[in-house]
Structure formats: structure tokens, C-alpha cells
Amino acid sequence: MSNQKAPQDTCVLVTGGAGFIGSHTVVKLLEGGYQVVIVDDLSNASERVLDRIDRIVGEDASSRLSFYRADVNDREALDVIFDENPIDRVIHFAGFKAVGESVSKPIEYYSNNIGSTLTLVDVMRDHGCKSIVFSSSATVYGDPDALPLTEQSPKKPATNPYGWTKWMIEEILGSLHTADPAWNVVLLRYFNPIGAHPSGLMGEDPKGIPNNLLPYVAQVAVGRRDRVHVFGDDYDTPDGTGVRDYIHVMDLAAGHVAALAWMDGRTGVEVFNLGTGNGTSVLEIIEAFSAACGRELPYVIEPRRPGDVTANYADCAKARREMGWEAQFGIADMCRDSWTWQSHNPNGYEG
Ligand code: UFG
């Protein structure tokens, strides 16, 4: 354990740090004492999030944050960032993430998500930084044979290019370690991140019509959309609607900080599920959000959405055992915080 470092002596590069999960993780890192460098091209994020981070963490902590507006595909920009900062570890969030869009734009998705990761790890290697946490997804489990999903559950073929990029980047990072055992790789497989910072200052701000359930429900609650479209009520689940393991974004952010502490001084490739272990149906979400915002949210049942699985939820025992991390928040907390964010910022960061 020769290279163990205290957080205040550890500089973490966060790619995609202005995005939904990235920004909440940056707050947790700054609160944990880390030095943080964000690289984000703001293609799917707002620069205003930087102000919000400053307001949440205060002047002292925000003095440990720097921001570079750059694309992770831009090797020269990455070189400058590594030259100017003593980066010890990287948390890699940056990437395109819309499942449906990935089906119609496979070249863009493969080239951006995989290309930028290859550029990033190549620049890391050049600068002697071989420690990376990757933002993976439960999507790599495909349509599960058995629940809950453990890290031993098999990876299954992805159903869309977005899913394949997560799948392949996991393999690519594994190959790095095979070639050079000095690499230290943690793959975090997220279940369904929702919620927002409890202050209402930061949250999810999708561009256009939201693809995911929670931002859609939140926009119905605030009057931007008429009703929730429930994709299928004939699944083999208690109420017929799809079941997912929703996790509060603050818990997910804390999971990254736990992973950084856990990986300190190690090498290898390790996978952790980050979820709560509980499955919640679409109708249960609508009910919980209705309770949070104080009115019954209208919904309509639609046909199933192609590519959706019936149910998935995580076994999170490994993260608890190894990293001492466990989700703290329940569905009511997630809906409350999401509502606080949405009601204070009806049009997101631009509002
Ligand atoms: N749903 C609706 N109406 C909507 C949107 C979603 O009924 O308007 C339903 C879906 O059918 C599903 C559930 O709500 O049953 C959750 O759907 P999301 O789109 O919110 O989330 P997914 O589980 O489909 O996708 C998430 C991540 C992806 C990841 C995937 C698999 O957003 O990045 O999990 O792990 F790939």
C-alpha cells in the first residue's frame, strides 16, 4: 500500500463533471477534501452548474475545483490538463447516454464513447496515471435470468449501441490491466439514478423530451407535460409495470467517493453494483411523486417500449462488504428532492 494518499493530496479528474451524476459526485468529492478538475464540453450540461457547486460547497472547498471546457476526444486539451494538474485518479462519466438516440446514431455513439475513452486512457498512460473509475451501467446485464443481480451475474448482449459502448469499455479497461498490471480499474454499474441535491440547487436537466421516467414525471408535476406515458402494464410484475432499482444520485455520488478510498493503494479490475437492492414499479413511482408534489399525477397506459426489460434490481452486498458503502435514501426521499429541484428550477438550469 505504498501509494496511499490523503484526499487533500489527491487530485481527481472528473470527465463529464458538469453532468447529472458528475456534478453531484464533484460536490461529494469537494466535501470529502479532494482536489477536483472537471473536464466537460458542455454538450449536454450547463455551465451554470459550476456556480451551483460553488454555492453548495462554499468558498473554501470550491477553491479546490478547476474547470476545463473541452471534449475528451481532444487529445491536446487532455495533455494540457494533465500537464497543468497533478492528476492521481480519473472518474470517467463523459459520454452520450440516450438509449433511443444511440439506435439511430450508432457511428456517433461508438466513435464518441469508445474513442474518447481510448484517448483518455492513452493520455493517462503517457502521464503515468493508471487509476480509473468508470461509469458503467446495469445495462450490461441485459435481460436477467435471475434477480437480484450480483457482480457475478453474466454480462448479456446489449440491446442498443449505448449499452454496447458501456459493455465494451468495461472490456477495454480490463484489457489494459491484463497488458499492464499496474492499472487500477473500478467499474461501477449503476442502476437507475434519480433524485437531486437536497438543496434544490442541482438536479437532472435533460434537453428536449426526457427519455427516462423520473425527469418525465417531474415535468408533468411542474406542468411542462400533460401526463405520464406508462410503457406497458402487462409485464410479469405485481402491478404489470416495469420494475427498476432507483437510487438517489447523492447515494451514487457517495459510492464514487467510497470507491476512490477503496481503490487507494490497489491495482486490479473490480466491479461493483450501485443500487439499493429494492425494485419499484412505474406506478409506484408515479404514486410516490404524486405524494411528494401534493397532487395526483395523470398517466396513460401505452404499449411496451422496445428493448425494455421486465425487472432488474441489484444485490449490493459486495459494495457494502468491500467499500462500506450502502444506499441511505428511499423512494420518498428521491421524489422529494427531485420535486424540490424541479419546482425551484422548472426549466432546469436555463430557467
Ligand atoms: N418508463 C415509462 N415511461 C417513460 C419512461 C420510462 O413507463 O416515459 C418506464 C420504462 O418502461 C421502465 C422504467 O420506466 O420500465 C424506467 O425507464 P427509464 O427510461 O427511466 O430507465 P431504464 O431502466 O430504461 O434505463 C436506465 C438508464 C439507462 C440504462 C438502463 C439499463 O437510463 O442508461 O437503465 O440499466 F442503460
Side-chain angles (χ1 to χ4, degrees):
M1 301 273 173
S2 54
N3 51 346
Q4 280 194 323
K5 274 182 149 190
Q8 58 271 26
D9 300 324
T10 306
C11 181
V12 185
L13 175 66
V14 183
T15 76
F20 174 46
I21 307 173
S23 58
H24 290 80
T25 301
V26 166
V27 163
K28 281 282 186 195
L29 289 170
L30 292 170
E31 288 173 350
Y34 287 93
Q35 298 173 47
V36 180
V37 178
I38 294 176
V39 55
D40 197 306
D41 67 356
L42 303 179
S43 60
N44 193 26
S46 166
E47 195 158 11
R48 294 195 182 158
V49 81
L50 299 169
D51 275 352
R52 304 291 176 94
I53 292 172
D54 287 353
R55 280 169 67 184
I56 290 170
V57 303
E59 230 172 90
D60 247 27
S62 72
S63 68
R64 283 184 270 105
L65 173 64
S66 30
F67 170 70
Y68 290 81
R69 182 171 186 169
D71 183 336
V72 181
N73 285 290
D74 182 344
R75 169 182 291 270
E76 281 161 28
L78 285 188
D79 267 326
V80 170
I81 294 169
F82 275 85
D83 284 341
E84 291 182 354
N85 300 276
I87 293 165
D88 299 289
R89 303 190 193 295
V90 176
I91 305 181
H92 182 34
F93 292 106
F96 295 162
K97 62 171 187 179
V99 171
E101 185 184 61
S102 78
V103 176
S104 53
K105 295 184 172 172
I107 298 176
E108 284 78 0
Y109 270 70
Y110 286 120
S111 135
N112 182 69
N113 290 6
I114 295 177
S116 62
T117 303
L118 290 171
T119 303
L120 173 67
V121 292
D122 198 13
V123 172
M124 287 174 68
R125 180 178 57 175
D126 283 352
H127 291 264
C129 174
K130 296 182 178 176
S131 186
I132 184 166
V133 176
F134 176 59
S135 187
S136 190
S137 165
T139 198
V140 303
Y141 294 119
D143 201 354
D145 296 325
L147 293 170
L149 288 156
T150 75
E151 292 80 358
Q152 260 76 51
S153 301
K155 283 173 80 169
K156 295 269 206 78
T159 54
N160 55 74
Y162 159 80
W164 277 120
T165 68
K166 293 293 180 194
W167 206 105
M168 285 190 235
I169 293 167
E170 286 197 350
E171 301 300 312
I172 290 168
L173 296 177
S175 302
L176 287 184
H177 178 261
T178 306
D180 175 359
W183 277 89
N184 186 359
V185 175
V186 173
L187 308 173
L188 298 180
R189 293 181 180 158
Y190 312 152
F191 282 69
N192 288 53
I194 63 168
H197 193 271
S199 63
L201 288 168
M202 288 193 333
E204 191 169 11
D205 182 20
K207 295 211 161 95
I209 301 172
N211 300 302
N212 297 116
L213 179 63
L214 254 290
Y216 202 102
V217 170
Q219 291 190 7
V220 171
V222 85
R224 275 173 74 181
R225 316 222 170 253
D226 288 347
R227 59 178 70 84
V228 184
H229 299 264
V230 176
F231 299 144
D233 69 347
D234 56 351
Y235 284 107
D236 184 16
T237 60
D239 66 18
T241 64
V243 166
R244 297 289 183 277
D245 185 343
Y246 297 94
I247 172 169
H248 198 300
V249 67
M250 294 306 295
D251 276 331
L252 199 56
H256 290 75
V257 180
L260 282 189
W262 179 85
M263 75 198 291
D264 198 11
R266 295 174 194 258
T267 58
V269 182
E270 207 71 41
V271 180
F272 292 101
N273 285 340
L274 296 184
T276 64
N278 302 314
T280 305
S281 75
V282 177
L283 293 182
E284 286 170 333
I285 287 286
I286 295 173
E287 195 183 320
F289 210 101
S290 298
C293 73
R295 90 181 161 92
E296 285 302 306
L297 296 176
Y299 66 86
V300 57
I301 306 291
E302 304 273 3
R304 292 182 181 195
R305 183 172 66 176
D308 274 349
V309 301
T310 300
N312 74 3
Y313 48 91
D315 178 324
C316 302
K318 183 177 174 190
R320 186 168 59 239
R321 192 177 62 241
E322 294 279 332
M323 313 196 294
W325 172 90
E326 192 170 15
Q328 305 295 316
F329 298 109
I331 290 291
D333 305 309
M334 302 181 212
C335 291
R336 178 200 60 220
D337 293 339
S338 174
W339 173 238
T340 305
W341 154 252
Q342 192 71 57
S343 54
H344 287 75
N345 307 268
N347 297 308
Y349 289 108
E350 304 313 319

